[in-house]
Amino acid sequence: MAEFRPGSADQDEFLVELTKAGLLVESGIPGVYGRGTDFERVRLGFDSLVAAAAVGDDAERLSFSPLLPRRQIEELGYLNSFPHLAGTIFAFDGDEAQAAEQATVASAGGDWSGFQSMSDLCLTPAVCYPVYPAIAARGKLPAGGVTIDTGGSYAFRHEPSGDPARLQMFHMHELVRIAEPETVVEWRDGWRDRALELLRGVGLDANFDVANDPFFGRTGRMLARSQRSQELKFEILCDITEPEPTAIASFNYHQDHFSGTYGLEMEDPDTPAHTACLGFGLERITLALLRTHGLDPSGWPEDVRDKLSLG
Amino acid sequence: MAEFRPGSADQDEFLVELTKAGLLVESGIPGVYGRGTDFERVRLGFDSLVAAAAVGDDAERLSFSPLLPRRQIEELGYLNSFPHLAGTIFAFDGDEAQAAEQATVASAGGDWSGFQSMSDLCLTPAVCYPVYPAIAARGKLPAGGVTIDTGGSYAFRHEPSGDPARLQMFHMHELVRIAEPETVVEWRDGWRDRALELLRGVGLDANFDVANDPFFGRTGRMLARSQRSQELKFEILCDITEPEPTAIASFNYHQDHFSGTYGLEMEDPDTPAHTACLGFGLERITLALLRTHGLDPSGWPEDVRDKLSLG
């Protein structure tokens, strides 16, 4: 199994504070927590703030469950880039005798993996993945393309960690832009400023940087360098815990990667369709707010409480 | 893999209407759909209605992701009762050479299940499952116990079907009561009427019935009979498609099942802690509303639109 990455002293301490305050609830598995009343109010408050900001983009809401057809991660090359982060769903397909044997082995704490077989589903590693084939199925895109608002939706990454900001399943509120290359780049650059404004507007010391994805292995280091040099990924960072800032929002410009895989095309045959997405990490933003303003939202600055509808 | 259960003619037709209207979006996998703007507005509107109704119960919000520690379904006997519905999460734990081989096999459409091993996580089959150990960890319960509102949270059931009301992952908004036996029964009986009122209040022809869970195999038929004769499970049913009504809410009285497994105790040593839960199936209720009032919510009766905050 994926190696557990221990938290720093500061991260361990923050997690203890969060659970003591009932903001998070331990499940016994690192990176898997329940979320208490105040945590949820803040998370949903920021979620609504993003949705309201997206209204100006004439964004269309399109939401998906955390289940992704397995063939999508096979087609997309995800297993080349992030094999260590993927989660696949297995299920039982036997008869009554096998079911009884499976249950006996499982309740005795034995290894019952042999009774499970791979289903046609995996967990969504990125909230925007199901959007591309759904839009491609509609046919060619008119000039100006589309903007999709996924709402706050779950993504899975198999990376157990002691850092409370590194969850195995978390909400990303994503906006996805599919259009002409220059339209997509302009949208991304505009949102870089709007996202910073949104995050600074609730009192976060948020800053922008060029970034790369956590590609796997030696080949991955090359991919990461190329992604950086082309400035295809931006992040907005905020100090939550020592020793380093945490990415609380990220922007990915995929150029024609998804268009090529799913056949996304503009009506104008001379213009390729490009894609970009912007994701707000809702649990991380909630943690950044708790660290910045304190663990009790009732004492937060009035303007922050107003913006987050904490009434 | 689990056998695909084809939809009835009416179910197939309804699914086509829903996708044509952009309310649902096909993913290529039965029971896995995207949800469009209007679908989400109705779903979230009803979700808020439940949360508002639960305020009177002084309910505490406690929400979980769809990830459940695998040991919970091992401990709970879930694999005895519902082995066919469970989903377990597998992941990759190899080196670079194995990762490359896995990616090659996967992109060629081959069987790459051998590269995946069982993780310590499964998918939550019922939204209330993580609540019990979380409350038990707090210690003994004072008189009157607690009421938990999970919000609209995802549950997984591996049962691919052509019926648009039978999703593989769906939102249940659950209320969980943990208290003295008579308090729990009184709460359940009170909510039976309140839930009917809530659902009829938005125009649904909702009716109450005694029910049983879909237990697996021959032993399962005995369990189902016993559950019915003890009236441990109620459902609220509504006609969505032919040939039969669909359960849109359900009530389960677990007596001391979860208390025994997780050590839930009342402070009073002479009184056992019992548990019950009530779940509203948000996608099913949305579908019932769409079938009852029509596929375009802008034309729905004014009072229904008001209650669902469709503004």
Side-chain angles (χ1 to χ4, degrees):
Chain A
M1 279 300 92
E3 217 170 307
F4 171 65
R5 202 189 304 188
S8 68
D10 193 28
Q11 287 163 355
D12 289 348
E13 195 183 313
F14 188 37
L15 180 55
V16 169
E17 286 171 12
L18 290 162
T19 53
K20 269 196 185 157
L23 290 155
L24 294 184
V25 177
E26 301 243 32
S27 75
I29 308 272
V32 179
Y33 309 104
R35 307 180 302 268
T37 307
D38 281 344
F39 192 99
E40 284 295 89
R41 289 185 68 201
V42 173
R43 180 179 71 79
L44 294 169
F46 193 84
D47 193 41
S48 299
L49 211 56
V50 176
V55 167
D57 284 25
D58 204 16
E60 174 188 339
R61 172 94 178 208
L62 186 52
S63 297
F64 292 86
S65 87
L67 300 179
L68 188 76
R70 172 164 53 83
R71 69 180 152 62
Q72 268 198 263
I73 64 164
E74 294 169 352
E75 288 164 356
L76 280 173
Y78 189 84
L79 297 167
N80 283 307
S81 302
F82 312 106
H84 53 309
L85 300 180
T88 50
I89 297 170
F90 280 54
F92 174 75
D93 182 33
D95 59 21
E96 288 197 53
Q98 288 164 319
E101 203 184 330
Q102 170 181 262
T104 305
V105 174
S107 68
D111 175 3
W112 51 287
S113 61
F115 295 95
Q116 298 278 301
S117 35
M118 196 179 228
S119 78
D120 51 7
L121 294 166
C122 65
L123 292 169
T124 301
V127 165
C128 64
Y129 281 8
V131 171
Y132 307 110
I135 300 300
R138 294 184 186 172
K140 297 187 182 183
L141 291 162
V146 291
T147 308
I148 300 295
D149 175 357
T150 66
S153 299
Y154 278 116
F156 175 82
R157 309 267 167 90
H158 192 237
E159 43 180 356
S161 159
D163 177 1
R166 191 169 293 279
L167 302 179
Q168 297 203 55
M169 197 170 243
F170 49 90
H171 287 95
M172 294 290 281
H173 191 136
E174 287 210 15
L175 302 175
V176 184
R177 192 78 175 96
I178 309 175
E180 303 85 359
E182 61 279 9
T183 308
V184 169
V185 169
E186 195 184 329
W187 176 85
R188 177 191 67 162
D189 293 347
W191 261 102
R192 188 178 61 192
D193 299 333
R194 291 172 71 186
L196 268 176
E197 204 179 308
L198 209 62
L199 292 160
R200 288 178 179 164
V202 289
L204 296 182
D205 182 13
N207 290 289
F208 162 83
D209 205 358
V210 173
N212 62 264
D213 283 309
F215 293 106
F216 181 75
R218 271 168 306 173
T219 333
R221 284 198 286 279
M222 268 169 44
L223 290 170
R225 270 197 298 275
S226 150
Q227 191 183 31
R228 269 185 181 270
S229 69
Q230 292 183 77
E231 302 203 346
L232 295 178
K233 188 183 182 77
F234 300 158
E235 284 178 346
I236 295 181
L237 302 160
C238 182
D239 283 321
I240 301 179
T241 52
E242 296 289 333
E244 54 192 12
T246 301
I248 54 175
S250 73
F251 304 69
N252 280 279
Y253 178 29
H254 322 107
Q255 297 171 310
D256 63 359
H257 177 62
F258 291 113
S259 309
T261 305
Y262 294 112
L264 285 160
E265 290 177 309
M266 304 304 294
E267 282 174 0
D268 174 359
D270 298 329
T271 310
H274 274 199
T275 71
C277 70
L278 148 63
F280 292 93
L282 298 182
E283 282 84 356
R284 286 187 173 181
I285 289 168
T286 304
L287 292 172
L289 287 162
L290 290 163
R291 198 74 197 235
T292 302
H293 301 302
L295 297 186
D296 180 5
S298 70
W300 289 6
E302 216 42 53
D303 64 316
V304 174
R305 289 181 51 79
D306 280 352
K307 283 184 179 162
L308 297 172
S309 314
L310 299 177
Chain B
M1 279 297 91
E3 216 171 306
F4 170 64
R5 201 190 305 188
S8 68
D10 193 29
Q11 287 162 354
D12 289 347
E13 194 183 316
F14 189 36
L15 180 56
V16 169
E17 285 171 12
L18 291 162
T19 52
K20 269 197 186 157
L23 290 155
L24 293 184
V25 177
E26 302 243 31
S27 74
I29 308 270
V32 179
Y33 310 104
R35 306 180 304 268
T37 307
D38 281 343
F39 193 100
E40 285 296 88
R41 290 186 68 201
V42 174
R43 180 180 70 81
L44 295 168
F46 193 84
D47 192 42
S48 299
L49 211 57
V50 176
V55 167
D57 283 25
D58 204 16
E60 173 188 339
R61 172 95 179 208
L62 186 53
S63 298
F64 292 86
S65 87
L67 301 179
L68 188 77
R70 171 164 53 83
R71 69 178 151 63
Q72 268 198 260
I73 62 164
E74 294 168 353
E75 288 164 357
L76 280 173
Y78 189 84
L79 297 167
N80 283 307
S81 302
F82 313 105
H84 54 311
L85 300 179
T88 50
I89 297 170
F90 279 54
F92 174 76
D93 182 33
D95 60 22
E96 288 197 51
Q98 288 164 319
E101 204 184 329
Q102 172 181 260
T104 305
V105 174
S107 67
D111 175 3
W112 51 286
S113 62
F115 294 95
Q116 298 278 300
S117 35
M118 197 180 227
S119 78
D120 51 7
L121 293 166
C122 64
L123 292 170
T124 302
V127 164
C128 63
Y129 281 8
V131 170
Y132 307 110
I135 300 300
R138 294 183 186 173
K140 296 186 182 184
L141 290 162
V146 290
T147 308
I148 299 296
D149 175 358
T150 65
S153 300
Y154 278 116
F156 174 83
R157 308 267 168 90
H158 191 238
E159 42 180 357
S161 159
D163 178 1
R166 189 169 295 279
L167 302 179
Q168 296 202 53
M169 195 169 245
F170 49 90
H171 287 95
M172 293 289 282
H173 191 136
E174 287 210 15
L175 302 175
V176 183
R177 192 79 176 92
I178 310 175
E180 303 85 357
E182 61 279 11
T183 309
V184 168
V185 169
E186 196 183 327
W187 175 86
R188 178 192 65 161
D189 292 346
W191 260 104
R192 189 179 58 191
D193 299 333
R194 291 171 71 187
L196 268 177
E197 204 179 308
L198 210 62
L199 291 161
R200 289 177 179 166
V202 290
L204 297 181
D205 182 14
N207 291 289
F208 163 83
D209 204 357
V210 172
N212 60 264
D213 283 309
F215 293 106
F216 181 74
R218 271 168 307 173
T219 334
R221 283 197 286 278
M222 269 170 44
L223 290 170
R225 270 197 298 273
S226 150
Q227 191 184 30
R228 269 187 180 268
S229 69
Q230 292 182 77
E231 301 204 347
L232 295 178
K233 187 181 184 79
F234 299 158
E235 284 178 346
I236 293 180
L237 302 161
C238 182
D239 284 321
I240 301 179
T241 51
E242 295 291 331
E244 54 194 10
T246 301
I248 56 176
S250 73
F251 303 69
N252 281 278
Y253 178 29
H254 323 107
Q255 296 171 313
D256 63 359
H257 177 63
F258 292 113
S259 309
T261 305
Y262 295 114
L264 285 160
E265 290 178 310
M266 303 305 294
E267 282 174 0
D268 174 359
D270 298 327
T271 309
H274 275 197
T275 70
C277 71
L278 149 63
F280 291 92
L282 298 183
E283 283 84 355
R284 287 186 173 183
I285 290 168
T286 304
L287 293 172
L289 287 163
L290 290 164
R291 198 74 199 235
T292 302
H293 300 303
L295 298 187
D296 179 6
S298 70
W300 289 6
E302 216 41 56
D303 65 316
V304 173
R305 291 182 49 80
D306 278 354
K307 282 184 180 164
L308 298 172
S309 315
L310 299 178

